[in-house]
Amino acid sequence: MIYYLLNILTYIVSSLHNPIVGGQNATAGSWPWQVSIRLTDYNFHFCGGSLINSGWVLTAAHCFANTKYTASQVTVYLGTETLHGTNMNQVFRSVTSVTIHPNYDANTVNNDLALLQLSSTVTFTPYITPICLAASGSTFFNGTLSWVTGWGNISDLHIFNLYDNEVQVPIIGNRQCFCLYGGGITGNMICAGALPGNKDPCNGDSGGALVIKQGSIWIQAGIVSFGKDQGCAQANDPGAFTRVSQYQNWINQVITSNQPGFVTYTSSGTNADLNVSCSNLLFVFFLAVAQQTLQQINTSIVSCDSASASTSICTPAFPLEQVSNLNNILFIFKTVYIEIL
């Protein structure tokens, strides 16, 4: 009963938001690193991911942190062309562990990535191949063409067949994206999308890969993370992705053997995003930094309170009078910011 309810709900939503809006069906083997992550009991696809070596998958943290799904509840499907029908090249693996980035923040969606360890390694074929990851120091200038793949909102009902979809979108520089979002875009994120609209990942594509080709090598630059709360593929509403190059060290700390391949992507020419400015850029940036600092301070104070309760000795990292002063400054700045807007 729950199986059918899940699929009916997904079908209804699918009719409102097509998977990978503005995209097209991908041919078998076009994106051999793409995986489907499903609830095992219902064969229900809820997120995408990418194969990064023979035994590990990279996906979004919110696929697990926000849903509370555990490793024992999910199965990873590889070599999948369609979520309904025959898949001659498909294999599947259960998951032995889910490692969410320790600094993932559900409120800001910062550090939105997780690693899934497969129950056993997979054999590479033309339909199942790992993707290289963007190395630290990679640059992605405004306008760089990239591809996003995924199934979006899907259903396994016997009504229609849904294939892996693909769409090409340009990179949107972080400054421009920051202005379009009105804040909330950090250095751990990368944006992409067609500013006129009609091309965008959508619900269910989370965890999938944003990839760019350098020579003959495909490189994963981002992980599908979030968008504005205005629906999919809206004008001036690029998608936000986790910037993979920021996490080379963390990924290698988790995967200690047969580590994924990292490749430095270097954009050519000049970065037009450096010339982008908007009226609220400085204000929102200051607010973001100040709020993050306050959060760290409050965490320090709470930790000290807990330590004191257990008879331990603890000295807060920040004097309380400084916390009060920063709160006052933040309040004044918010007031000025609102008046200017």
Side-chain angles (χ1 to χ4, degrees):
M1 181 64 180
I2 296 176
Y3 167 80
Y4 289 105
L5 288 175
L6 286 171
N7 281 306
I8 290 169
L9 177 62
T10 306
Y11 170 67
I12 293 172
V13 177
S14 297
S15 66
L16 299 175
H17 300 295
N18 293 327
I20 295 286
V21 179
Q24 61 193 20
N25 288 348
T27 58
S30 298
W31 315 103
W33 48 82
Q34 177 76 31
V35 309
S36 169
I37 306 173
R38 310 184 196 178
L39 281 176
T40 305
D41 288 349
Y42 311 110
N43 194 32
F44 180 74
H45 168 96
F46 65 93
C47 271
S50 53
L51 185 70
I52 57 174
N53 68 10
S54 60
W56 289 83
V57 164
L58 181 64
T59 188
H62 76 259
C63 291
F64 290 87
N66 295 9
T67 62
K68 306 301 181 184
Y69 295 150
T70 63
S72 62
Q73 293 177 289
V74 301
T75 300
V76 171
Y77 286 77
L78 309 95
T80 304
E81 181 182 1
T82 174
L83 294 177
H84 167 66
T86 304
N87 286 284
M88 300 296 295
N89 308 297
Q90 179 177 271
V91 300
F92 61 89
R93 294 288 187 272
S94 56
V95 176
T96 59
S97 68
V98 176
T99 305
I100 296 172
H101 193 280
N103 295 325
Y104 168 65
D105 188 323
N107 294 318
T108 62
V109 206
N110 205 21
N111 305 304
D112 187 14
L113 73 161
L115 290 165
L116 312 184
Q117 185 172 19
L118 305 180
S119 57
S120 61
T121 57
V122 295
T123 300
F124 298 151
T125 72
Y127 306 93
I128 302 173
T129 307
I131 180 74
C132 293
L133 302 179
S136 300
S138 293
T139 56
F140 304 97
F141 288 173
N142 207 355
T144 303
L145 292 179
S146 61
W147 287 88
V148 188
T149 58
W151 287 276
N153 289 305
I154 56 85
S155 171
D156 286 339
L157 292 173
H158 293 268
I159 297 177
F160 51 81
N161 292 338
L162 284 172
Y163 288 78
D164 189 10
N165 270 238
E166 62 188 23
V167 68
Q168 189 177 43
V169 289
I171 296 295
I172 305 298
N174 272 35
R175 289 173 65 93
Q176 184 176 7
C177 193
F178 191 95
C179 293
L180 291 170
Y181 270 74
I185 303 300
T186 74
N188 294 325
M189 302 170 187
I190 184 172
C191 298
L195 293 185
N198 300 319
K199 290 185 177 183
D200 194 21
C202 199
N203 304 31
D205 294 320
S206 289
L210 173 77
V211 299
I212 298 176
K213 197 172 187 180
Q214 182 168 255
S216 61
I217 301 175
W218 284 99
I219 302 170
Q220 181 172 356
I223 305 166
V224 179
S225 183
F226 68 95
K228 286 184 181 178
D229 297 327
Q230 300 176 353
C232 303
Q234 300 298 307
N236 296 315
D237 184 10
F241 303 76
T242 306
R243 188 179 288 261
V244 172
S245 59
Q246 293 289 93
Y247 300 97
Q248 181 173 354
N249 289 339
W250 179 75
I251 291 171
N252 283 336
Q253 287 172 8
V254 176
I255 306 175
T256 55
S257 61
N258 186 27
Q259 293 179 323
F262 285 88
V263 176
T264 301
Y265 183 89
T266 305
S267 293
S268 58
T270 58
N271 188 6
D273 191 56
L274 296 176
N275 299 320
V276 172
S277 181
C278 54
S279 60
N280 63 339
L281 184 61
L282 177 61
F283 293 101
V284 178
F285 175 76
F286 178 86
L287 289 175
V289 172
Q291 288 170 333
Q292 185 176 13
T293 302
L294 279 172
Q295 184 178 11
Q296 293 172 345
I297 292 171
N298 290 330
T299 300
S300 171
I301 293 171
V302 170
S303 299
C304 283
D305 288 344
S306 300
S308 298
S310 61
T311 68
S312 300
I313 298 175
C314 179
T315 302
F318 300 88
L320 293 180
E321 59 271 17
Q322 288 188 18
V323 177
S324 178
N325 291 337
L326 187 54
N327 267 310
N328 292 334
I329 294 172
L330 183 59
F331 173 77
I332 294 171
F333 209 89
K334 278 183 176 179
T335 303
V336 173
Y337 171 64
I338 291 171
E339 289 297 326
I340 289 177
L341 291 183

